[in-house]
Amino acid sequence: MIPEHIAFIMDGNGRWAERRHLPRKYGHKMGTEALKRTIRNCAEIGVKFVTFYAFSTENWNRPKDEVDYLFDMFRRFFDEIDQYRDKSYRIVFIGNLSELPTDVSENALRIMKETEGNTGLTILIGMNYGSWEEITQAVNRLLSKGITSVTKEQIAEELYTKVAPFPDLVIRTGGEVRLSNFLLLQSAYAELLFTKVLWPDFNKKTLIKCIEEFESRSRKFGGLEDKNAKT
Ligand code: FPP
């Protein structure tokens, strides 16, 4: 069964560039191409929701010029967004947008609003996203409504990702084997897949290989029935 929702931790941009004696920024440029390619490939394959971890709450610790370059990549991506609108894709930016440069957060909010009613592929992009920040905000919002005891449904309803079902598959490229504060609650029952492929090299062939690996896993969600079994 094709996963309904795939989430990507796009790691390895810097190493991809360093191995070619190129500036790290060039890795992010090629990483942006890989992101756009992956959006196209996921749509073609029939995935309904994709999430990308583009900038984490911890990425502010990088040198300022690398952070600024990543924001420039976001700006360029915004400029190309018309092609997604035409395809009826919905774009949702997840994370604490208020801390981003004003033009970035304003454009992100505008694009979300403009694509809100679209029913095609839903693309979630983590920008200043971190699970701990997301959960803290969710709890504080519930407290501000006067709620003193919360249910798991109420928490889920306050998560940035509430427009999407929880991911079936989380793919991390670049060889590290950890989640790095990404979708910690949402990944409770996701299949986790770690590949040594560096993000700029991620292509349709590697995506299909990941989906085949996903399909080979049994998914019982704590029960006995394998929900991934072919009938
Ligand atoms: C991790 O690689 C990657 C990032 C911190 C940034 C990911 C961002 C993009 C692919 C850019 C574009 C996003 C949009 C929405 C246009 P790394 O630099 O940590 O790699 P390394 O571990 O090899 O150093």
Side-chain angles (χ1 to χ4, degrees):
M1 199 192 292
I2 297 283
E4 187 183 18
H5 182 176
I6 308 183
F8 295 91
I9 302 177
M10 309 181 282
D11 198 10
N13 291 348
R15 275 165 288 161
W16 187 94
E18 281 158 11
R19 280 180 198 173
R20 288 162 178 78
H21 307 286
L22 294 165
R24 288 178 55 82
K25 288 178 190 173
Y26 196 72
H28 294 312
K29 185 169 189 279
M30 297 313 281
T32 306
E33 293 307 310
L35 172 136
K36 292 190 278 184
R37 184 162 68 231
T38 303
I39 291 174
R40 283 196 301 275
N41 290 334
C42 283
E44 249 177 64
I45 288 171
V47 175
K48 301 276 181 266
F49 300 87
V50 273
T51 301
F52 297 95
Y53 204 9
F55 190 84
S56 76
T57 45
E58 287 72 39
N59 284 151
W60 293 103
N61 296 325
R62 295 189 176 213
K64 186 174 181 308
D65 75 319
E66 184 167 337
V67 170
D68 286 344
Y69 188 81
L70 283 168
F71 294 153
D72 279 343
M73 290 290 98
F74 299 161
R75 291 182 179 103
R76 276 195 221 172
F77 179 72
F78 294 159
D79 289 343
E80 295 172 14
I81 225 108
D82 277 344
Q83 52 181 303
Y84 297 124
R85 214 189 326 259
D86 295 347
K87 288 194 168 77
S88 201
Y89 293 168
R90 179 174 186 186
I91 302 173
V92 180
F93 294 95
I94 58 170
N96 187 347
L97 303 183
S98 67
E99 289 174 354
L100 294 167
T102 315
D103 69 301
V104 173
S105 60
E106 281 178 1
N107 274 306
L109 290 169
R110 175 182 59 78
I111 291 163
M112 281 207 270
K113 212 166 174 355
E114 285 173 6
T115 63
E116 201 173 6
N118 290 354
T119 53
L121 175 71
T122 298
I123 305 161
L124 294 91
I125 298 180
M127 285 196 329
N128 196 25
Y129 175 86
S131 272
W132 275 95
E133 195 273 344
E134 177 182 43
I135 297 164
T136 309
Q137 291 261 14
V139 171
N140 279 326
R141 271 195 298 270
L142 291 169
L143 290 174
S144 72
K145 290 179 191 169
I147 294 168
T148 52
S149 169
V150 298
T151 64
K152 82 182 180 196
E153 288 74 19
Q154 283 171 323
I155 294 178
E157 198 43 40
E158 294 294 339
L159 297 177
Y160 294 128
T161 57
K162 68 170 180 230
V163 299
F166 289 169
D168 305 291
L169 174 62
V170 176
I171 299 174
R172 181 176 188 142
T173 59
E176 307 295 342
V177 184
R178 58 173 170 267
L179 287 175
S180 301
N181 202 16
F182 181 56
L183 305 182
L184 298 182
L185 279 184
Q186 296 90 329
S187 296
Y189 269 103
E191 295 301 318
L192 307 180
L193 203 155
F194 301 94
T195 167
K196 288 200 166 71
V197 172
L198 302 178
W199 178 251
D201 289 327
F202 196 84
N203 58 23
K204 192 162 187 180
K205 207 168 139 200
T206 32
L207 174 65
I208 289 174
K209 233 174 117 188
C210 290
I211 293 177
E212 284 170 356
E213 160 77 27
F214 168 82
E215 288 176 322
S216 75
R217 304 227 185 137
S218 88
R219 305 190 77 206
K220 296 184 180 165
F221 300 90
L224 296 178
E225 188 195 343
D226 179 5
K227 309 275 185 203
N228 236 6
K230 291 194 178 81
T231 42

